[in-house]
Amino acid sequence: MELTFLLEQLVNGLVLGGYYLLLALGLSLIFSVGGVVNLAHGAFYALGAYLSLEIGRRLGWGAGVALSPVAVGVLGILFERFLLRRFYTADPILSLLVTFGLALLAEQAIRMLWGAAPLPSSMPPGFKGNVLVGDFMFSRYRLLLLALVLVLLAGVWLLLNKTAFGRVVRAGVQRPDMVAVLGIRLQPYMTAIVVLGVASAALAGALFGPITIVHPAMGTEVMTAAFVVVVIGGLGSFWGVVLAAVLVGVVRGATIFFLPAAAEASMYVLMFLVLLLRPRGLLGERIERFE
């Protein structure tokens, strides 16, 4: 029974890693390409959860999950056009302060629109219940989440590695000066990266709402974990963020089994150990913009 419980916690850790990945991947891309510390990223995650609830009540769960990232992506265009664009060449502390203020504003706006009390979020009826394999029992909905995260991960990887768009983005991370010499404007690509990042955060809110608590401060609460994953993975590395998200989730799942009281602290201990050995993160690359 103990081995079965450990396996269940490890699979739960993989699902948690997928949750962190959806948040951290967009955060890392925005930081790597634009050099902007986006503390408002969690606000888009919360908006995704709330919009998914509103749309789902009228059109069903699937429509809520599909349309809420689109709506938040449109907000991302406005966010990049009228706010972030002003800070690409400015002191990073300015973007940090402005996006922090925006995050607080968004949280209060959510309280005004939906109230301060947590809202119930239900999963689709077909995915309620558990899958039982021998003594191993796992939630159908969590398995669905794991599959959807893997599909999204594959899609983002193909976009960044097998398309002309991805080649320009990767070149912009490492050698923005060379991209400029070739006459390529990074601005439209940065807009697309912001849309991709905030839409993936909104998707995380929509998908994971039924197994978390949907409340106004949910975006603020999750940002610390997202930054931990980005720091562990290393800037400029797609697979670094993926590996970090999986490690953080699995380590937390294993810690719940062996030492439940230390589960929350496990990610910070992991970050400390990684940075002690690899100051740039697990797969972090040298980025000229910052060095």
Side-chain angles (χ1 to χ4, degrees), residues 61 123-130 140-141 144:
W61 178 85
M123 60 187 68
F127 290 94
K128 292 181 178 179
N130 300 303
R140 284 194 181 95
Y141 187 69
L144 171 66

Side-chain angles (χ1 to χ4, degrees), residues 52-53 56 70 73-74 84 100 121 123-124 161 175 197 217-218 223 277:
S52 177
L53 285 179
V70 175
V74 172
L84 284 192
F100 177 67
S121 179
M123 60 187 68
N161 290 275
R175 296 299 300 272
M218 62 188 297
M223 280 303 293
L277 300 173

